[in-house]
Amino acid sequence: MLKRPFGFHVALLATALLCGCATLGPQSIPRDRQGYSSAISDSWKEQTLLNIVRLRYADAPMFLDVSSIVASYSAEGQIDASATFPPQDSGTPSIGGYGRYITKPTISYAPLTGDKFTQSLLRPIAPASVFQMIQAGYPADFIIGATTRAINGHYNRSAGVNARAADPQFVQLTELLRRVQRAEGLGMRIERRENGEATVLFFRGDASPQLAEDVAQVRGLMGIRPSPEFNLVYGATPRNDTEIALLTRSMLEILLDFANCIDVPSSHVAEGRTFAGYAQGSHRLATIHSGAQAPADAYTAVRYRDTWYWVDDRDMASKRAFAFMMMFFSLAETGTSSPAPVLTIGAN
């Protein structure tokens, strides 16, 4: 058996340590990107659910943005070796060492306050954004029901101080638009005009007798003429019979609507801690459960005032509604982002 000299083993160990340090950065990218992405996504859902619960109990919502993540890594090692020459019986060669791996993530949070908070929560969603989501394939009845207060004078239900039931015509109109959407009978385009961009909606009712009947009912409920195209505008009522007026909700109104979907403990209502929300089976947007114990299988869950609140992971309709609401945040975001903080990270 060929025996390697002691110095060869020392050099081999040092080379392995240096090679490991050289690949430290590239190996961290797949692991860190997935880890941070999952953590931010889960915390975003939990933060949104917590603010919905806060609104139900008349607490002010509070949002924090993760503005930047900077991860710094360092690896160090040391090798000690000793031997006697010439080798003697008592001079047994020895080798020792240690290694250390350090990660120092720097995470910056930016509270949404001031102008950014106002624009994100209080400004109504643009009507064009509502129909862009419908054009992308999201259900028209859900999208309009969640984002719209009124369409051509027909009002949706409201929560909070001005709580009221939806007009029957509004419910009928959203169901008809969903049927027209399924039959590919609804379209939109953006036109450039002298006074700016305009959103134009059009109906295609010649594909089948059923589609033609549904489009005719939509026109009748909206009070619009049998014209192929209509201007989409913001407002409660149209100025003429060639407009479709959408009075859209703000993000805060959408959150309040979701807050009314929480099945809060009955004792909290009896004690005056909160108010009664939408009853089960009343076509509410989602179902948010509550209980004294942490849920075993939840899509997202938070603890508030010694009570757990969660969306069941087996409730696909509520999960879909919650995911849509997260997208509404992006639709409502109109302000410029705060500049990221300037950080100086030492290269270890």
Short mmCIF file of all heavy atoms in Angstrom, two decimals, residues 11-53:
data_model
loop_
_atom_site.label_atom_id
_atom_site.label_comp_id
_atom_site.label_asym_id
_atom_site.label_seq_id
_atom_site.Cartn_x
_atom_site.Cartn_y
_atom_site.Cartn_z
N ALA A 11 -2.03 19.48 2.56
CA ALA A 11 -2.35 20.26 1.35
C ALA A 11 -3.72 19.88 0.80
O ALA A 11 -4.49 20.74 0.33
CB ALA A 11 -1.27 20.03 0.29
N LEU A 12 -4.07 18.58 0.85
CA LEU A 12 -5.36 18.13 0.35
C LEU A 12 -6.50 18.73 1.17
O LEU A 12 -7.52 19.19 0.63
CB LEU A 12 -5.42 16.61 0.38
CG LEU A 12 -6.70 15.97 -0.18
CD1 LEU A 12 -6.82 16.29 -1.67
CD2 LEU A 12 -6.68 14.45 0.04
N LEU A 13 -6.36 18.77 2.49
CA LEU A 13 -7.39 19.34 3.36
C LEU A 13 -7.54 20.84 3.13
O LEU A 13 -8.65 21.38 3.09
CB LEU A 13 -7.04 19.05 4.82
CG LEU A 13 -8.06 19.54 5.87
CD1 LEU A 13 -9.41 18.88 5.63
CD2 LEU A 13 -7.54 19.23 7.27
N ALA A 14 -6.44 21.53 2.96
CA ALA A 14 -6.50 22.98 2.72
C ALA A 14 -7.17 23.28 1.39
O ALA A 14 -7.97 24.22 1.27
CB ALA A 14 -5.08 23.57 2.75
N THR A 15 -6.87 22.47 0.36
CA THR A 15 -7.49 22.68 -0.95
C THR A 15 -8.99 22.48 -0.88
O THR A 15 -9.78 23.24 -1.46
CB THR A 15 -6.89 21.71 -1.98
OG1 THR A 15 -5.47 21.92 -2.04
CG2 THR A 15 -7.49 21.93 -3.36
N ALA A 16 -9.45 21.44 -0.15
CA ALA A 16 -10.89 21.19 -0.02
C ALA A 16 -11.58 22.35 0.68
O ALA A 16 -12.69 22.77 0.30
CB ALA A 16 -11.12 19.88 0.75
N LEU A 17 -10.93 22.91 1.70
CA LEU A 17 -11.53 24.02 2.43
C LEU A 17 -11.64 25.26 1.54
O LEU A 17 -12.67 25.94 1.52
CB LEU A 17 -10.70 24.33 3.68
CG LEU A 17 -11.22 25.47 4.58
CD1 LEU A 17 -12.61 25.13 5.09
CD2 LEU A 17 -10.25 25.72 5.72
N LEU A 18 -10.61 25.54 0.77
CA LEU A 18 -10.63 26.71 -0.11
C LEU A 18 -11.66 26.55 -1.22
O LEU A 18 -12.35 27.50 -1.59
CB LEU A 18 -9.24 26.93 -0.70
CG LEU A 18 -8.16 27.40 0.28
CD1 LEU A 18 -6.80 27.46 -0.40
CD2 LEU A 18 -8.52 28.76 0.88
N CYS A 19 -11.79 25.36 -1.76
CA CYS A 19 -12.78 25.12 -2.81
C CYS A 19 -14.19 25.32 -2.28
O CYS A 19 -15.07 25.84 -2.96
CB CYS A 19 -12.63 23.71 -3.39
SG CYS A 19 -11.11 23.51 -4.36
N GLY A 20 -14.43 24.85 -1.03
CA GLY A 20 -15.75 25.05 -0.44
C GLY A 20 -16.09 26.51 -0.28
O GLY A 20 -17.21 26.94 -0.51
N CYS A 21 -15.09 27.33 0.10
CA CYS A 21 -15.33 28.77 0.25
C CYS A 21 -15.57 29.43 -1.09
O CYS A 21 -16.34 30.37 -1.20
CB CYS A 21 -14.15 29.43 0.95
SG CYS A 21 -13.90 28.86 2.66
N ALA A 22 -14.90 28.96 -2.13
CA ALA A 22 -15.03 29.58 -3.45
C ALA A 22 -16.42 29.42 -4.02
O ALA A 22 -16.89 30.26 -4.79
CB ALA A 22 -14.00 28.99 -4.41
N THR A 23 -17.14 28.35 -3.67
CA THR A 23 -18.48 28.11 -4.21
C THR A 23 -19.57 28.49 -3.23
O THR A 23 -20.73 28.15 -3.42
CB THR A 23 -18.63 26.62 -4.59
OG1 THR A 23 -18.42 25.83 -3.42
CG2 THR A 23 -17.63 26.23 -5.66
N LEU A 24 -19.23 29.21 -2.16
CA LEU A 24 -20.21 29.56 -1.14
C LEU A 24 -21.32 30.45 -1.70
O LEU A 24 -22.50 30.23 -1.44
CB LEU A 24 -19.50 30.26 0.02
CG LEU A 24 -20.38 30.70 1.20
CD1 LEU A 24 -21.00 29.49 1.85
CD2 LEU A 24 -19.55 31.49 2.21
N GLY A 25 -20.96 31.47 -2.47
CA GLY A 25 -21.95 32.41 -3.01
C GLY A 25 -22.94 31.77 -3.97
O GLY A 25 -24.16 31.83 -3.76
N PRO A 26 -22.47 31.15 -5.06
CA PRO A 26 -23.41 30.56 -6.03
C PRO A 26 -24.33 29.51 -5.43
O PRO A 26 -25.50 29.42 -5.80
CB PRO A 26 -22.47 29.94 -7.08
CG PRO A 26 -21.20 30.73 -6.97
CD PRO A 26 -21.07 31.08 -5.53
N GLN A 27 -23.83 28.71 -4.50
CA GLN A 27 -24.67 27.67 -3.90
C GLN A 27 -25.78 28.25 -3.03
O GLN A 27 -26.82 27.61 -2.83
CB GLN A 27 -23.80 26.72 -3.06
CG GLN A 27 -22.87 25.84 -3.87
CD GLN A 27 -21.99 24.98 -2.99
OE1 GLN A 27 -21.95 25.16 -1.77
NE2 GLN A 27 -21.28 24.04 -3.60
N SER A 28 -25.60 29.47 -2.53
CA SER A 28 -26.60 30.06 -1.65
C SER A 28 -27.78 30.66 -2.41
O SER A 28 -28.84 30.88 -1.83
CB SER A 28 -25.97 31.16 -0.79
OG SER A 28 -25.60 32.27 -1.59
N ILE A 29 -27.63 30.94 -3.71
CA ILE A 29 -28.68 31.64 -4.46
C ILE A 29 -29.97 30.83 -4.54
O ILE A 29 -31.05 31.33 -4.20
CB ILE A 29 -28.18 32.03 -5.86
CG1 ILE A 29 -27.09 33.12 -5.73
CG2 ILE A 29 -29.33 32.54 -6.73
CD1 ILE A 29 -26.47 33.51 -7.04
N PRO A 30 -29.96 29.57 -5.02
CA PRO A 30 -31.24 28.82 -5.10
C PRO A 30 -31.89 28.62 -3.74
O PRO A 30 -33.11 28.74 -3.61
CB PRO A 30 -30.83 27.48 -5.73
CG PRO A 30 -29.44 27.63 -6.21
CD PRO A 30 -28.83 28.76 -5.48
N ARG A 31 -31.07 28.33 -2.73
CA ARG A 31 -31.63 28.09 -1.40
C ARG A 31 -32.23 29.37 -0.82
O ARG A 31 -33.36 29.38 -0.32
CB ARG A 31 -30.53 27.56 -0.48
CG ARG A 31 -30.99 27.33 0.96
CD ARG A 31 -29.81 27.04 1.87
NE ARG A 31 -28.95 28.20 2.05
CZ ARG A 31 -27.68 28.25 1.61
NH1 ARG A 31 -27.15 27.23 0.97
NH2 ARG A 31 -26.96 29.34 1.82
N ASP A 32 -31.50 30.48 -0.90
CA ASP A 32 -31.96 31.72 -0.28
C ASP A 32 -33.14 32.33 -1.03
O ASP A 32 -34.06 32.87 -0.41
CB ASP A 32 -30.82 32.73 -0.21
CG ASP A 32 -29.78 32.35 0.83
OD1 ASP A 32 -30.00 31.33 1.51
OD2 ASP A 32 -28.78 33.05 0.96
N ARG A 33 -33.11 32.28 -2.35
CA ARG A 33 -34.22 32.87 -3.11
C ARG A 33 -35.53 32.18 -2.77
O ARG A 33 -36.56 32.83 -2.54
CB ARG A 33 -33.94 32.79 -4.61
CG ARG A 33 -35.10 33.28 -5.46
CD ARG A 33 -34.73 33.35 -6.93
NE ARG A 33 -33.82 34.45 -7.20
CZ ARG A 33 -33.42 34.80 -8.43
NH1 ARG A 33 -33.85 34.11 -9.47
NH2 ARG A 33 -32.61 35.81 -8.61
N GLN A 34 -35.52 30.86 -2.74
CA GLN A 34 -36.74 30.12 -2.41
C GLN A 34 -37.14 30.35 -0.95
O GLN A 34 -38.33 30.54 -0.64
CB GLN A 34 -36.54 28.64 -2.67
CG GLN A 34 -37.78 27.80 -2.39
CD GLN A 34 -37.57 26.33 -2.72
OE1 GLN A 34 -36.52 25.94 -3.21
NE2 GLN A 34 -38.58 25.52 -2.47
N GLY A 35 -36.18 30.36 -0.06
CA GLY A 35 -36.49 30.52 1.36
C GLY A 35 -37.06 31.89 1.67
O GLY A 35 -38.10 32.00 2.34
N TYR A 36 -36.41 32.94 1.19
CA TYR A 36 -36.91 34.29 1.46
C TYR A 36 -38.24 34.54 0.75
O TYR A 36 -39.12 35.21 1.29
CB TYR A 36 -35.87 35.32 1.01
CG TYR A 36 -34.72 35.49 1.97
CD1 TYR A 36 -33.41 35.23 1.58
CD2 TYR A 36 -34.94 35.92 3.28
CE1 TYR A 36 -32.35 35.38 2.46
CE2 TYR A 36 -33.89 36.06 4.17
CZ TYR A 36 -32.59 35.79 3.76
OH TYR A 36 -31.55 35.94 4.62
N SER A 37 -38.39 34.02 -0.46
CA SER A 37 -39.64 34.21 -1.20
C SER A 37 -40.81 33.57 -0.45
O SER A 37 -41.88 34.18 -0.31
CB SER A 37 -39.52 33.62 -2.61
OG SER A 37 -40.75 33.70 -3.30
N SER A 38 -40.63 32.35 0.02
CA SER A 38 -41.69 31.67 0.76
C SER A 38 -42.00 32.39 2.07
O SER A 38 -43.17 32.54 2.45
CB SER A 38 -41.29 30.22 1.04
OG SER A 38 -41.10 29.50 -0.16
N ALA A 39 -40.96 32.85 2.76
CA ALA A 39 -41.18 33.53 4.03
C ALA A 39 -41.92 34.85 3.84
O ALA A 39 -42.84 35.17 4.61
CB ALA A 39 -39.83 33.78 4.71
N ILE A 40 -41.57 35.61 2.81
CA ILE A 40 -42.26 36.89 2.56
C ILE A 40 -43.70 36.64 2.14
O ILE A 40 -44.62 37.35 2.58
CB ILE A 40 -41.50 37.68 1.47
CG1 ILE A 40 -40.16 38.16 2.02
CG2 ILE A 40 -42.33 38.87 1.00
CD1 ILE A 40 -39.28 38.84 0.99
N SER A 41 -43.93 35.61 1.31
CA SER A 41 -45.30 35.31 0.88
C SER A 41 -46.17 34.92 2.07
O SER A 41 -47.31 35.41 2.20
CB SER A 41 -45.26 34.16 -0.15
OG SER A 41 -46.57 33.78 -0.50
N ASP A 42 -45.67 34.05 2.93
CA ASP A 42 -46.46 33.62 4.10
C ASP A 42 -46.72 34.79 5.05
O ASP A 42 -47.83 34.94 5.59
CB ASP A 42 -45.73 32.49 4.84
CG ASP A 42 -45.70 31.20 4.04
OD1 ASP A 42 -46.52 31.06 3.10
OD2 ASP A 42 -44.84 30.34 4.33
N SER A 43 -45.71 35.61 5.27
CA SER A 43 -45.89 36.74 6.19
C SER A 43 -46.84 37.78 5.60
O SER A 43 -47.56 38.45 6.35
CB SER A 43 -44.55 37.38 6.52
OG SER A 43 -43.98 37.99 5.38
N TRP A 44 -46.85 37.93 4.27
CA TRP A 44 -47.77 38.87 3.63
C TRP A 44 -49.21 38.41 3.83
O TRP A 44 -50.10 39.21 4.15
CB TRP A 44 -47.43 38.97 2.14
CG TRP A 44 -48.17 40.06 1.41
CD1 TRP A 44 -48.76 41.16 1.94
CD2 TRP A 44 -48.37 40.14 0.00
NE1 TRP A 44 -49.33 41.93 0.95
CE2 TRP A 44 -49.11 41.33 -0.25
CE3 TRP A 44 -48.01 39.33 -1.08
CZ2 TRP A 44 -49.48 41.72 -1.53
CZ3 TRP A 44 -48.38 39.73 -2.36
CH2 TRP A 44 -49.11 40.90 -2.57
N LYS A 45 -49.46 37.11 3.67
CA LYS A 45 -50.81 36.59 3.90
C LYS A 45 -51.23 36.78 5.36
O LYS A 45 -52.37 37.18 5.64
CB LYS A 45 -50.88 35.10 3.52
CG LYS A 45 -50.79 34.83 2.02
CD LYS A 45 -51.10 33.39 1.70
CE LYS A 45 -50.11 32.44 2.27
NZ LYS A 45 -50.36 31.03 1.88
N GLU A 46 -50.32 36.48 6.28
CA GLU A 46 -50.65 36.61 7.69
C GLU A 46 -50.90 38.08 8.07
O GLU A 46 -51.81 38.39 8.84
CB GLU A 46 -49.51 36.03 8.54
CG GLU A 46 -49.40 34.51 8.42
CD GLU A 46 -48.16 33.98 9.09
OE1 GLU A 46 -47.41 34.79 9.68
OE2 GLU A 46 -47.92 32.75 9.02
N GLN A 47 -50.08 38.98 7.52
CA GLN A 47 -50.28 40.40 7.80
C GLN A 47 -51.62 40.89 7.28
O GLN A 47 -52.33 41.65 7.96
CB GLN A 47 -49.14 41.23 7.17
CG GLN A 47 -49.31 42.73 7.36
CD GLN A 47 -48.18 43.51 6.73
OE1 GLN A 47 -47.41 44.18 7.43
NE2 GLN A 47 -48.06 43.46 5.41
N THR A 48 -52.00 40.44 6.07
CA THR A 48 -53.29 40.85 5.51
C THR A 48 -54.45 40.32 6.34
O THR A 48 -55.40 41.05 6.64
CB THR A 48 -53.41 40.34 4.06
OG1 THR A 48 -52.31 40.84 3.28
CG2 THR A 48 -54.70 40.80 3.42
N LEU A 49 -54.38 39.04 6.73
CA LEU A 49 -55.45 38.47 7.55
C LEU A 49 -55.53 39.18 8.90
O LEU A 49 -56.63 39.45 9.40
CB LEU A 49 -55.20 36.97 7.74
CG LEU A 49 -56.23 36.23 8.62
CD1 LEU A 49 -57.64 36.38 8.05
CD2 LEU A 49 -55.86 34.75 8.74
N LEU A 50 -54.39 39.48 9.50
CA LEU A 50 -54.40 40.17 10.79
C LEU A 50 -55.06 41.54 10.68
O LEU A 50 -55.84 41.95 11.56
CB LEU A 50 -52.97 40.31 11.32
CG LEU A 50 -52.81 41.04 12.66
CD1 LEU A 50 -53.59 40.34 13.76
CD2 LEU A 50 -51.33 41.15 13.03
N ASN A 51 -54.79 42.27 9.59
CA ASN A 51 -55.41 43.58 9.42
C ASN A 51 -56.90 43.48 9.15
O ASN A 51 -57.67 44.35 9.55
CB ASN A 51 -54.71 44.34 8.30
CG ASN A 51 -53.41 44.97 8.74
OD1 ASN A 51 -53.34 45.65 9.75
ND2 ASN A 51 -52.35 44.73 7.99
N ILE A 52 -57.33 42.42 8.49
CA ILE A 52 -58.77 42.19 8.30
C ILE A 52 -59.44 41.98 9.65
O ILE A 52 -60.52 42.54 9.93
CB ILE A 52 -58.99 40.98 7.37
CG1 ILE A 52 -58.59 41.33 5.93
CG2 ILE A 52 -60.44 40.52 7.40
CD1 ILE A 52 -58.61 40.15 4.98
N VAL A 53 -58.81 41.18 10.50
CA VAL A 53 -59.36 40.94 11.84
C VAL A 53 -59.36 42.24 12.65
O VAL A 53 -60.32 42.54 13.36
CB VAL A 53 -58.56 39.83 12.56
CG1 VAL A 53 -59.08 39.63 13.97
CG2 VAL A 53 -58.65 38.52 11.78
#
